Amino acid sequence: MGKVAAKMKVMPQSPEIDLDDLQDKLEDSLPEGAKINGFERDEVAFGLVALLPTVIVPDDAGGTEAVEERFMNVDGVESVSVENVGRI
């Protein structure tokens, strides 16, 4: 069984969201078998900063859909998109 690395883009609802707290909530929301292998931050505009977590999931877990759903249910998240996916 292989693993898949996905770089995701998580947009907070507003520039006032505490990004450190949001990172913790995202990590706590992960489905079983998934893990975050680091975060990057991307300044979007007008003080809004997107989080770019790299998520590792098992290849047989059905891709990143479960992670995307969990991230969307985190308080303070406006949107979630997958930027890059690759097998590792």
Side-chain angles (χ1 to χ4, degrees), residues 35-49:
K35 70 175 189 170
I36 293 179
N37 192 33
F39 281 92
E40 293 178 29
R41 294 183 182 193
D42 181 29
E43 291 189 31
V44 180
F46 306 109
L48 190 61
V49 178

Side-chain angles (χ1 to χ4, degrees), residues 45-57:
F46 306 109
L48 190 61
V49 178
L51 291 176
L52 304 172
T54 299
V55 180
I56 310 295
V57 294

